[in-house]
PDB file of all heavy atoms in Angstrom:
ATOM      1  N   LEU O   1      -6.190  13.863 -10.292  1.00 74.00           N
ATOM      2  CA  LEU O   1      -5.397  12.758 -10.498  1.00 74.00           C
ATOM      3  C   LEU O   1      -4.739  12.662 -11.873  1.00 74.00           C
ATOM      4  O   LEU O   1      -5.517  12.985 -12.865  1.00 74.00           O
ATOM      5  CB  LEU O   1      -6.071  11.488 -10.286  1.00 74.00           C
ATOM      6  CG  LEU O   1      -6.777  11.271  -8.903  1.00 74.00           C
ATOM      7  CD1 LEU O   1      -7.554   9.982  -8.853  1.00 74.00           C
ATOM      8  CD2 LEU O   1      -5.708  11.281  -7.851  1.00 74.00           C
ATOM      9  N   GLN O   2      -3.510  12.373 -12.008  1.00 72.00           N
ATOM     10  CA  GLN O   2      -2.904  12.188 -13.357  1.00 72.00           C
ATOM     11  C   GLN O   2      -2.975  10.737 -13.700  1.00 72.00           C
ATOM     12  O   GLN O   2      -3.038  10.226 -14.785  1.00 72.00           O
ATOM     13  CB  GLN O   2      -1.527  12.730 -13.392  1.00 72.00           C
ATOM     14  CG  GLN O   2      -1.546  14.263 -13.569  1.00 72.00           C
ATOM     15  CD  GLN O   2      -0.096  14.813 -13.539  1.00 72.00           C
ATOM     16  OE1 GLN O   2       0.881  14.082 -13.589  1.00 72.00           O
ATOM     17  NE2 GLN O   2       0.029  16.104 -13.668  1.00 72.00           N
ATOM     18  N   ASN O   3      -2.899   9.880 -12.627  1.00 71.00           N
ATOM     19  CA  ASN O   3      -2.826   8.376 -12.810  1.00 71.00           C
ATOM     20  C   ASN O   3      -3.804   7.887 -11.682  1.00 71.00           C
ATOM     21  O   ASN O   3      -3.560   7.770 -10.578  1.00 71.00           O
ATOM     22  CB  ASN O   3      -1.446   7.856 -12.511  1.00 71.00           C
ATOM     23  CG  ASN O   3      -1.394   6.390 -12.636  1.00 71.00           C
ATOM     24  OD1 ASN O   3      -2.475   5.621 -12.766  1.00 71.00           O
ATOM     25  ND2 ASN O   3      -0.194   5.788 -12.623  1.00 71.00           N
ATOM     26  N   SER O   4      -5.090   7.533 -12.175  1.00 76.00           N
ATOM     27  CA  SER O   4      -5.938   7.032 -11.244  1.00 76.00           C
ATOM     28  C   SER O   4      -6.017   5.571 -11.132  1.00 76.00           C
ATOM     29  O   SER O   4      -6.901   4.886 -10.416  1.00 76.00           O
ATOM     30  CB  SER O   4      -7.388   7.588 -11.740  1.00 76.00           C
ATOM     31  OG  SER O   4      -7.724   7.000 -12.944  1.00 76.00           O
ATOM     32  N   SER O   5      -5.139   4.796 -11.711  1.00 88.00           N
ATOM     33  CA  SER O   5      -5.133   3.364 -11.607  1.00 88.00           C
ATOM     34  C   SER O   5      -4.276   2.875 -10.461  1.00 88.00           C
ATOM     35  O   SER O   5      -4.416   1.840  -9.940  1.00 88.00           O
ATOM     36  CB  SER O   5      -4.628   2.705 -12.930  1.00 88.00           C
ATOM     37  OG  SER O   5      -3.237   2.912 -13.086  1.00 88.00           O
ATOM     38  N   VAL O   6      -3.404   3.800  -9.821  1.00 95.00           N
ATOM     39  CA  VAL O   6      -2.530   3.335  -8.829  1.00 95.00           C
ATOM     40  C   VAL O   6      -3.022   4.015  -7.498  1.00 95.00           C
ATOM     41  O   VAL O   6      -3.272   5.229  -7.441  1.00 95.00           O
ATOM     42  CB  VAL O   6      -1.044   3.717  -9.045  1.00 95.00           C
ATOM     43  CG1 VAL O   6      -0.216   3.445  -7.821  1.00 95.00           C
ATOM     44  CG2 VAL O   6      -0.634   2.877 -10.225  1.00 95.00           C
ATOM     45  N   ILE O   7      -3.087   3.311  -6.392  1.00 96.00           N
ATOM     46  CA  ILE O   7      -3.438   3.802  -5.107  1.00 96.00           C
ATOM     47  C   ILE O   7      -2.517   3.261  -3.987  1.00 96.00           C
ATOM     48  O   ILE O   7      -2.114   2.136  -4.144  1.00 96.00           O
ATOM     49  CB  ILE O   7      -4.907   3.602  -4.675  1.00 96.00           C
ATOM     50  CG1 ILE O   7      -5.250   4.319  -3.406  1.00 96.00           C
ATOM     51  CG2 ILE O   7      -5.260   2.184  -4.736  1.00 96.00           C
ATOM     52  CD1 ILE O   7      -6.693   4.236  -3.022  1.00 96.00           C
ATOM     53  N   THR O   8      -2.103   4.048  -3.127  1.00 98.00           N
ATOM     54  CA  THR O   8      -1.218   3.657  -2.049  1.00 98.00           C
ATOM     55  C   THR O   8      -2.001   3.751  -0.740  1.00 98.00           C
ATOM     56  O   THR O   8      -2.601   4.829  -0.507  1.00 98.00           O
ATOM     57  CB  THR O   8       0.115   4.546  -1.972  1.00 98.00           C
ATOM     58  OG1 THR O   8       0.743   4.535  -3.111  1.00 98.00           O
ATOM     59  CG2 THR O   8       0.974   3.962  -0.838  1.00 98.00           C
ATOM     60  N   VAL O   9      -2.047   2.683   0.067  1.00 98.00           N
ATOM     61  CA  VAL O   9      -2.679   2.651   1.244  1.00 98.00           C
ATOM     62  C   VAL O   9      -1.701   2.284   2.364  1.00 98.00           C
ATOM     63  O   VAL O   9      -0.939   1.377   2.265  1.00 98.00           O
ATOM     64  CB  VAL O   9      -3.806   1.556   1.216  1.00 98.00           C
ATOM     65  CG1 VAL O   9      -4.428   1.454   2.607  1.00 98.00           C
ATOM     66  CG2 VAL O   9      -4.811   1.836   0.234  1.00 98.00           C
ATOM     67  N   VAL O  10      -1.594   3.167   3.417  1.00 98.00           N
ATOM     68  CA  VAL O  10      -0.837   2.953   4.646  1.00 98.00           C
ATOM     69  C   VAL O  10      -1.732   2.718   5.757  1.00 98.00           C
ATOM     70  O   VAL O  10      -2.577   3.465   5.914  1.00 98.00           O
ATOM     71  CB  VAL O  10       0.112   4.124   4.835  1.00 98.00           C
ATOM     72  CG1 VAL O  10       0.896   3.962   6.254  1.00 98.00           C
ATOM     73  CG2 VAL O  10       1.030   4.383   3.643  1.00 98.00           C
ATOM     74  N   ASP O  11      -1.517   1.607   6.476  1.00 98.00           N
ATOM     75  CA  ASP O  11      -2.533   1.228   7.560  1.00 98.00           C
ATOM     76  C   ASP O  11      -1.809   1.300   8.936  1.00 98.00           C
ATOM     77  O   ASP O  11      -1.120   0.361   9.273  1.00 98.00           O
ATOM     78  CB  ASP O  11      -3.200  -0.051   7.343  1.00 98.00           C
ATOM     79  CG  ASP O  11      -4.215  -0.389   8.387  1.00 98.00           C
ATOM     80  OD1 ASP O  11      -4.416   0.533   9.401  1.00 98.00           O
ATOM     81  OD2 ASP O  11      -4.891  -1.368   8.252  1.00 98.00           O
ATOM     82  N   PHE O  12      -1.833   2.461   9.546  1.00 98.00           N
ATOM     83  CA  PHE O  12      -1.143   2.616  10.825  1.00 98.00           C
ATOM     84  C   PHE O  12      -1.937   2.107  12.049  1.00 98.00           C
ATOM     85  O   PHE O  12      -1.589   2.341  13.168  1.00 98.00           O
ATOM     86  CB  PHE O  12      -0.830   4.154  11.054  1.00 98.00           C
ATOM     87  CG  PHE O  12       0.275   4.675  10.345  1.00 98.00           C
ATOM     88  CD1 PHE O  12       0.295   6.091   9.901  1.00 98.00           C
ATOM     89  CD2 PHE O  12       1.426   3.910   9.962  1.00 98.00           C
ATOM     90  CE1 PHE O  12       1.465   6.525   9.233  1.00 98.00           C
ATOM     91  CE2 PHE O  12       2.486   4.424   9.253  1.00 98.00           C
ATOM     92  CZ  PHE O  12       2.495   5.735   8.809  1.00 98.00           C
ATOM     93  N   THR O  13      -3.018   1.311  11.746  1.00 98.00           N
ATOM     94  CA  THR O  13      -3.623   0.533  12.956  1.00 98.00           C
ATOM     95  C   THR O  13      -2.777  -0.766  13.084  1.00 98.00           C
ATOM     96  O   THR O  13      -3.031  -1.478  13.942  1.00 98.00           O
ATOM     97  CB  THR O  13      -5.118   0.158  12.510  1.00 98.00           C
ATOM     98  OG1 THR O  13      -5.137  -0.763  11.365  1.00 98.00           O
ATOM     99  CG2 THR O  13      -5.889   1.376  12.259  1.00 98.00           C
ATOM    100  N   LYS O  14      -1.881  -1.005  12.122  1.00 98.00           N
ATOM    101  CA  LYS O  14      -0.920  -2.160  12.356  1.00 98.00           C
ATOM    102  C   LYS O  14       0.344  -1.847  13.038  1.00 98.00           C
ATOM    103  O   LYS O  14       0.773  -0.715  12.844  1.00 98.00           O
ATOM    104  CB  LYS O  14      -0.699  -2.834  10.922  1.00 98.00           C
ATOM    105  CG  LYS O  14      -1.966  -3.367  10.301  1.00 98.00           C
ATOM    106  CD  LYS O  14      -1.643  -4.032   9.098  1.00 98.00           C
ATOM    107  CE  LYS O  14      -2.771  -4.808   8.509  1.00 98.00           C
ATOM    108  NZ  LYS O  14      -3.381  -5.775   9.304  1.00 98.00           N
ATOM    109  N   SER O  15       0.966  -2.821  13.524  1.00 98.00           N
ATOM    110  CA  SER O  15       2.289  -2.742  14.167  1.00 98.00           C
ATOM    111  C   SER O  15       3.364  -2.178  13.121  1.00 98.00           C
ATOM    112  O   SER O  15       3.179  -2.700  12.026  1.00 98.00           O
ATOM    113  CB  SER O  15       2.813  -4.011  14.885  1.00 98.00           C
ATOM    114  OG  SER O  15       4.073  -4.041  15.066  1.00 98.00           O
ATOM    115  N   SER O  16       4.343  -1.543  13.597  1.00 98.00           N
ATOM    116  CA  SER O  16       5.438  -1.068  12.704  1.00 98.00           C
ATOM    117  C   SER O  16       6.283  -2.336  12.248  1.00 98.00           C
ATOM    118  O   SER O  16       7.133  -2.179  11.263  1.00 98.00           O
ATOM    119  CB  SER O  16       6.307   0.011  13.359  1.00 98.00           C
ATOM    120  OG  SER O  16       7.183  -0.576  14.396  1.00 98.00           O
ATOM    121  N   ARG O  17       6.152  -3.500  13.020  1.00 98.00           N
ATOM    122  CA  ARG O  17       6.804  -4.639  12.710  1.00 98.00           C
ATOM    123  C   ARG O  17       6.216  -5.309  11.432  1.00 98.00           C
ATOM    124  O   ARG O  17       6.807  -6.314  10.922  1.00 98.00           O
ATOM    125  CB  ARG O  17       6.762  -5.556  13.773  1.00 98.00           C
ATOM    126  CG  ARG O  17       7.587  -4.992  15.028  1.00 98.00           C
ATOM    127  CD  ARG O  17       7.582  -6.039  16.246  1.00 98.00           C
ATOM    128  NE  ARG O  17       6.225  -6.510  16.511  1.00 98.00           N
ATOM    129  CZ  ARG O  17       5.503  -6.088  17.513  1.00 98.00           C
ATOM    130  NH1 ARG O  17       5.936  -5.227  18.384  1.00 98.00           N
ATOM    131  NH2 ARG O  17       4.259  -6.573  17.685  1.00 98.00           N
ATOM    132  N   GLU O  18       5.042  -4.895  11.048  1.00 98.00           N
ATOM    133  CA  GLU O  18       4.328  -5.449   9.879  1.00 98.00           C
ATOM    134  C   GLU O  18       4.528  -4.609   8.547  1.00 98.00           C
ATOM    135  O   GLU O  18       4.668  -3.411   8.782  1.00 98.00           O
ATOM    136  CB  GLU O  18       2.853  -5.625  10.156  1.00 98.00           C
ATOM    137  CG  GLU O  18       2.613  -6.568  11.333  1.00 98.00           C
ATOM    138  CD  GLU O  18       1.040  -6.568  11.617  1.00 98.00           C
ATOM    139  OE1 GLU O  18       0.310  -7.018  10.696  1.00 98.00           O
ATOM    140  OE2 GLU O  18       0.554  -6.095  12.814  1.00 98.00           O
ATOM    141  N   LYS O  19       4.434  -5.251   7.398  1.00 98.00           N
ATOM    142  CA  LYS O  19       4.314  -4.491   6.190  1.00 98.00           C
ATOM    143  C   LYS O  19       2.940  -3.888   6.236  1.00 98.00           C
ATOM    144  O   LYS O  19       2.024  -4.604   6.017  1.00 98.00           O
ATOM    145  CB  LYS O  19       4.581  -5.475   5.063  1.00 98.00           C
ATOM    146  CG  LYS O  19       5.961  -6.068   5.018  1.00 98.00           C
ATOM    147  CD  LYS O  19       6.228  -6.979   3.834  1.00 98.00           C
ATOM    148  CE  LYS O  19       7.613  -7.594   3.811  1.00 98.00           C
ATOM    149  NZ  LYS O  19       7.753  -8.343   2.650  1.00 98.00           N
ATOM    150  N   ARG O  20       3.030  -2.648   6.232  1.00 98.00           N
ATOM    151  CA  ARG O  20       1.639  -1.908   6.258  1.00 98.00           C
ATOM    152  C   ARG O  20       1.407  -0.799   5.334  1.00 98.00           C
ATOM    153  O   ARG O  20       0.660   0.053   5.371  1.00 98.00           O
ATOM    154  CB  ARG O  20       1.536  -1.408   7.690  1.00 98.00           C
ATOM    155  CG  ARG O  20       2.585  -0.424   8.149  1.00 98.00           C
ATOM    156  CD  ARG O  20       2.503  -0.159   9.601  1.00 98.00           C
ATOM    157  NE  ARG O  20       3.584   0.867   9.915  1.00 98.00           N
ATOM    158  CZ  ARG O  20       3.625   1.521  11.152  1.00 98.00           C
ATOM    159  NH1 ARG O  20       2.695   1.392  11.899  1.00 98.00           N
ATOM    160  NH2 ARG O  20       4.621   2.306  11.400  1.00 98.00           N
ATOM    161  N   MET O  21       2.329  -0.886   4.138  1.00 98.00           N
ATOM    162  CA  MET O  21       2.108  -0.028   2.978  1.00 98.00           C
ATOM    163  C   MET O  21       1.838  -1.008   1.815  1.00 98.00           C
ATOM    164  O   MET O  21       2.530  -1.936   1.588  1.00 98.00           O
ATOM    165  CB  MET O  21       3.257   0.772   2.729  1.00 98.00           C
ATOM    166  CG  MET O  21       3.202   1.649   1.373  1.00 98.00           C
ATOM    167  SD  MET O  21       4.659   2.440   0.914  1.00 98.00           S
ATOM    168  CE  MET O  21       4.483   4.021   1.621  1.00 98.00           C
ATOM    169  N   TRP O  22       0.560  -0.676   1.181  1.00 98.00           N
ATOM    170  CA  TRP O  22       0.360  -1.405  -0.035  1.00 98.00           C
ATOM    171  C   TRP O  22       0.259  -0.422  -1.317  1.00 98.00           C
ATOM    172  O   TRP O  22      -0.484   0.606  -1.103  1.00 98.00           O
ATOM    173  CB  TRP O  22      -0.980  -2.107   0.102  1.00 98.00           C
ATOM    174  CG  TRP O  22      -1.055  -3.150   1.222  1.00 98.00           C
ATOM    175  CD1 TRP O  22      -0.858  -4.501   0.983  1.00 98.00           C
ATOM    176  CD2 TRP O  22      -1.350  -3.021   2.507  1.00 98.00           C
ATOM    177  NE1 TRP O  22      -0.994  -5.172   2.120  1.00 98.00           N
ATOM    178  CE2 TRP O  22      -1.200  -4.320   3.041  1.00 98.00           C
ATOM    179  CE3 TRP O  22      -1.543  -1.851   3.308  1.00 98.00           C
ATOM    180  CZ2 TRP O  22      -1.367  -4.492   4.481  1.00 98.00           C
ATOM    181  CZ3 TRP O  22      -1.698  -2.082   4.725  1.00 98.00           C
ATOM    182  CH2 TRP O  22      -1.609  -3.302   5.275  1.00 98.00           C
ATOM    183  N   ILE O  23       0.733  -0.819  -2.326  1.00 98.00           N
ATOM    184  CA  ILE O  23       0.710  -0.055  -3.542  1.00 98.00           C
ATOM    185  C   ILE O  23      -0.060  -0.879  -4.558  1.00 98.00           C
ATOM    186  O   ILE O  23       0.422  -2.024  -4.855  1.00 98.00           O
ATOM    187  CB  ILE O  23       1.993   0.422  -4.221  1.00 98.00           C
ATOM    188  CG1 ILE O  23       2.704   1.326  -3.136  1.00 98.00           C
ATOM    189  CG2 ILE O  23       1.726   1.131  -5.469  1.00 98.00           C
ATOM    190  CD1 ILE O  23       4.205   1.702  -3.668  1.00 98.00           C
ATOM    191  N   ILE O  24      -1.249  -0.485  -5.030  1.00 97.00           N
ATOM    192  CA  ILE O  24      -2.176  -1.333  -5.683  1.00 97.00           C
ATOM    193  C   ILE O  24      -2.422  -0.763  -7.180  1.00 97.00           C
ATOM    194  O   ILE O  24      -2.786   0.437  -7.248  1.00 97.00           O
ATOM    195  CB  ILE O  24      -3.412  -1.470  -4.876  1.00 97.00           C
ATOM    196  CG1 ILE O  24      -3.237  -1.989  -3.497  1.00 97.00           C
ATOM    197  CG2 ILE O  24      -4.458  -2.422  -5.660  1.00 97.00           C
ATOM    198  CD1 ILE O  24      -4.344  -1.670  -2.556  1.00 97.00           C
ATOM    199  N   ASP O  25      -2.413  -1.544  -8.031  1.00 96.00           N
ATOM    200  CA  ASP O  25      -2.958  -1.145  -9.436  1.00 96.00           C
ATOM    201  C   ASP O  25      -4.376  -1.540  -9.465  1.00 96.00           C
ATOM    202  O   ASP O  25      -4.705  -2.762  -9.627  1.00 96.00           O
ATOM    203  CB  ASP O  25      -2.105  -1.813 -10.439  1.00 96.00           C
ATOM    204  CG  ASP O  25      -2.535  -1.426 -11.922  1.00 96.00           C
ATOM    205  OD1 ASP O  25      -3.780  -1.063 -12.061  1.00 96.00           O
ATOM    206  OD2 ASP O  25      -1.731  -1.708 -12.925  1.00 96.00           O
ATOM    207  N   ILE O  26      -5.306  -0.686  -9.183  1.00 93.00           N
ATOM    208  CA  ILE O  26      -6.687  -1.080  -9.129  1.00 93.00           C
ATOM    209  C   ILE O  26      -7.351  -1.313 -10.458  1.00 93.00           C
ATOM    210  O   ILE O  26      -8.268  -2.141 -10.543  1.00 93.00           O
ATOM    211  CB  ILE O  26      -7.535   0.032  -8.348  1.00 93.00           C
ATOM    212  CG1 ILE O  26      -7.430   1.473  -8.972  1.00 93.00           C
ATOM    213  CG2 ILE O  26      -7.120   0.114  -6.882  1.00 93.00           C
ATOM    214  CD1 ILE O  26      -8.302   2.482  -8.320  1.00 93.00           C
ATOM    215  N   LEU O  27      -6.817  -0.736 -11.490  1.00 91.00           N
ATOM    216  CA  LEU O  27      -7.292  -1.056 -12.893  1.00 91.00           C
ATOM    217  C   LEU O  27      -7.076  -2.428 -13.247  1.00 91.00           C
ATOM    218  O   LEU O  27      -7.954  -3.213 -13.812  1.00 91.00           O
ATOM    219  CB  LEU O  27      -6.706  -0.159 -13.863  1.00 91.00           C
ATOM    220  CG  LEU O  27      -7.229  -0.125 -15.320  1.00 91.00           C
ATOM    221  CD1 LEU O  27      -8.650   0.257 -15.384  1.00 91.00           C
ATOM    222  CD2 LEU O  27      -6.389   0.568 -16.223  1.00 91.00           C
ATOM    223  N   ASN O  28      -5.899  -3.051 -12.978  1.00 93.00           N
ATOM    224  CA  ASN O  28      -5.528  -4.336 -13.394  1.00 93.00           C
ATOM    225  C   ASN O  28      -5.681  -5.324 -12.127  1.00 93.00           C
ATOM    226  O   ASN O  28      -5.345  -6.511 -12.209  1.00 93.00           O
ATOM    227  CB  ASN O  28      -4.120  -4.395 -13.853  1.00 93.00           C
ATOM    228  CG  ASN O  28      -3.915  -3.670 -15.129  1.00 93.00           C
ATOM    229  OD1 ASN O  28      -4.632  -3.902 -16.154  1.00 93.00           O
ATOM    230  ND2 ASN O  28      -3.047  -2.716 -15.155  1.00 93.00           N
ATOM    231  N   LYS O  29      -6.218  -4.759 -10.972  1.00 95.00           N
ATOM    232  CA  LYS O  29      -6.459  -5.577  -9.785  1.00 95.00           C
ATOM    233  C   LYS O  29      -5.179  -6.415  -9.402  1.00 95.00           C
ATOM    234  O   LYS O  29      -5.148  -7.652  -9.253  1.00 95.00           O
ATOM    235  CB  LYS O  29      -7.562  -6.580  -9.969  1.00 95.00           C
ATOM    236  CG  LYS O  29      -8.914  -5.792 -10.209  1.00 95.00           C
ATOM    237  CD  LYS O  29     -10.078  -6.698 -10.512  1.00 95.00           C
ATOM    238  CE  LYS O  29     -11.199  -5.906 -10.750  1.00 95.00           C
ATOM    239  NZ  LYS O  29     -12.381  -6.733 -11.258  1.00 95.00           N
ATOM    240  N   LYS O  30      -4.066  -5.675  -9.197  1.00 97.00           N
ATOM    241  CA  LYS O  30      -2.823  -6.273  -8.921  1.00 97.00           C
ATOM    242  C   LYS O  30      -2.079  -5.538  -7.876  1.00 97.00           C
ATOM    243  O   LYS O  30      -2.034  -4.267  -7.896  1.00 97.00           O
ATOM    244  CB  LYS O  30      -1.924  -6.182 -10.162  1.00 97.00           C
ATOM    245  CG  LYS O  30      -0.579  -6.865 -10.183  1.00 97.00           C
ATOM    246  CD  LYS O  30       0.232  -6.801 -11.397  1.00 97.00           C
ATOM    247  CE  LYS O  30       1.493  -7.375 -11.207  1.00 97.00           C
ATOM    248  NZ  LYS O  30       2.400  -7.092 -12.456  1.00 97.00           N
ATOM    249  N   LEU O  31      -1.528  -6.293  -6.946  1.00 98.00           N
ATOM    250  CA  LEU O  31      -0.754  -5.712  -5.778  1.00 98.00           C
ATOM    251  C   LEU O  31       0.726  -5.544  -6.402  1.00 98.00           C
ATOM    252  O   LEU O  31       1.415  -6.422  -6.751  1.00 98.00           O
ATOM    253  CB  LEU O  31      -0.609  -6.710  -4.558  1.00 98.00           C
ATOM    254  CG  LEU O  31       0.213  -6.184  -3.415  1.00 98.00           C
ATOM    255  CD1 LEU O  31      -0.336  -4.901  -2.813  1.00 98.00           C
ATOM    256  CD2 LEU O  31       0.319  -7.316  -2.317  1.00 98.00           C
ATOM    257  N   LEU O  32       1.146  -4.247  -6.240  1.00 98.00           N
ATOM    258  CA  LEU O  32       2.467  -3.864  -6.931  1.00 98.00           C
ATOM    259  C   LEU O  32       3.545  -4.012  -5.899  1.00 98.00           C
ATOM    260  O   LEU O  32       4.660  -4.413  -6.134  1.00 98.00           O
ATOM    261  CB  LEU O  32       2.368  -2.486  -7.493  1.00 98.00           C
ATOM    262  CG  LEU O  32       1.346  -2.280  -8.612  1.00 98.00           C
ATOM    263  CD1 LEU O  32       1.417  -0.816  -9.057  1.00 98.00           C
ATOM    264  CD2 LEU O  32       1.688  -3.159  -9.793  1.00 98.00           C
ATOM    265  N   LEU O  33       3.219  -3.609  -4.647  1.00 98.00           N
ATOM    266  CA  LEU O  33       4.170  -3.732  -3.534  1.00 98.00           C
ATOM    267  C   LEU O  33       3.611  -3.730  -2.211  1.00 98.00           C
ATOM    268  O   LEU O  33       2.503  -3.115  -1.959  1.00 98.00           O
ATOM    269  CB  LEU O  33       5.189  -2.568  -3.672  1.00 98.00           C
ATOM    270  CG  LEU O  33       6.374  -2.443  -2.688  1.00 98.00           C
ATOM    271  CD1 LEU O  33       7.314  -3.610  -2.880  1.00 98.00           C
ATOM    272  CD2 LEU O  33       7.019  -1.107  -2.759  1.00 98.00           C
ATOM    273  N   ASN O  34       4.040  -4.497  -1.281  1.00 98.00           N
ATOM    274  CA  ASN O  34       3.681  -4.557   0.135  1.00 98.00           C
ATOM    275  C   ASN O  34       4.965  -4.302   0.933  1.00 98.00           C
ATOM    276  O   ASN O  34       5.828  -5.165   0.826  1.00 98.00           O
ATOM    277  CB  ASN O  34       2.861  -5.749   0.500  1.00 98.00           C
ATOM    278  CG  ASN O  34       2.466  -5.869   1.882  1.00 98.00           C
ATOM    279  OD1 ASN O  34       2.509  -6.925   2.513  1.00 98.00           O
ATOM    280  ND2 ASN O  34       2.031  -4.702   2.573  1.00 98.00           N
ATOM    281  N   THR O  35       5.130  -3.320   1.692  1.00 98.00           N
ATOM    282  CA  THR O  35       6.433  -3.033   2.319  1.00 98.00           C
ATOM    283  C   THR O  35       6.206  -2.389   3.767  1.00 98.00           C
ATOM    284  O   THR O  35       5.113  -1.995   4.106  1.00 98.00           O
ATOM    285  CB  THR O  35       7.276  -2.220   1.365  1.00 98.00           C
ATOM    286  OG1 THR O  35       8.600  -2.135   1.886  1.00 98.00           O
ATOM    287  CG2 THR O  35       6.742  -0.841   1.221  1.00 98.00           C
ATOM    288  N   LEU O  36       7.236  -2.330   4.463  1.00 98.00           N
ATOM    289  CA  LEU O  36       7.325  -1.647   5.756  1.00 98.00           C
ATOM    290  C   LEU O  36       7.282  -0.085   5.517  1.00 98.00           C
ATOM    291  O   LEU O  36       7.846   0.278   4.477  1.00 98.00           O
ATOM    292  CB  LEU O  36       8.733  -1.910   6.505  1.00 98.00           C
ATOM    293  CG  LEU O  36       8.950  -3.395   6.937  1.00 98.00           C
ATOM    294  CD1 LEU O  36      10.369  -3.609   7.280  1.00 98.00           C
ATOM    295  CD2 LEU O  36       7.993  -3.883   7.895  1.00 98.00           C
ATOM    296  N   VAL O  37       6.778   0.609   6.496  1.00 98.00           N
ATOM    297  CA  VAL O  37       6.694   2.076   6.393  1.00 98.00           C
ATOM    298  C   VAL O  37       6.742   2.585   7.869  1.00 98.00           C
ATOM    299  O   VAL O  37       6.010   1.997   8.798  1.00 98.00           O
ATOM    300  CB  VAL O  37       5.532   2.587   5.601  1.00 98.00           C
ATOM    301  CG1 VAL O  37       4.119   2.146   6.219  1.00 98.00           C
ATOM    302  CG2 VAL O  37       5.439   4.067   5.436  1.00 98.00           C
ATOM    303  N   ALA O  38       7.500   3.668   8.093  1.00 98.00           N
ATOM    304  CA  ALA O  38       7.602   4.264   9.348  1.00 98.00           C
ATOM    305  C   ALA O  38       6.513   5.312   9.655  1.00 98.00           C
ATOM    306  O   ALA O  38       5.985   5.958   8.653  1.00 98.00           O
ATOM    307  CB  ALA O  38       8.924   4.946   9.568  1.00 98.00           C
ATOM    308  N   HIS O  39       6.201   5.584  10.842  1.00 98.00           N
ATOM    309  CA  HIS O  39       5.289   6.615  11.307  1.00 98.00           C
ATOM    310  C   HIS O  39       6.125   7.596  12.148  1.00 98.00           C
ATOM    311  O   HIS O  39       7.323   7.454  12.339  1.00 98.00           O
ATOM    312  CB  HIS O  39       4.108   6.042  12.167  1.00 98.00           C
ATOM    313  CG  HIS O  39       4.416   5.422  13.378  1.00 98.00           C
ATOM    314  ND1 HIS O  39       4.404   4.051  13.392  1.00 98.00           N
ATOM    315  CD2 HIS O  39       4.720   5.857  14.659  1.00 98.00           C
ATOM    316  CE1 HIS O  39       4.679   3.589  14.556  1.00 98.00           C
ATOM    317  NE2 HIS O  39       4.870   4.768  15.412  1.00 98.00           N
TER     318      HIS O  39
END
């Protein structure tokens, strides 16, 4: 890793109609973005 404070999680157990991508700053405990993502 070059940047270990940011992690992206995509949860394909959820419907495509839901925002199922989260970009999280784990160092600062902050949600940076929650958005739709295709499979």
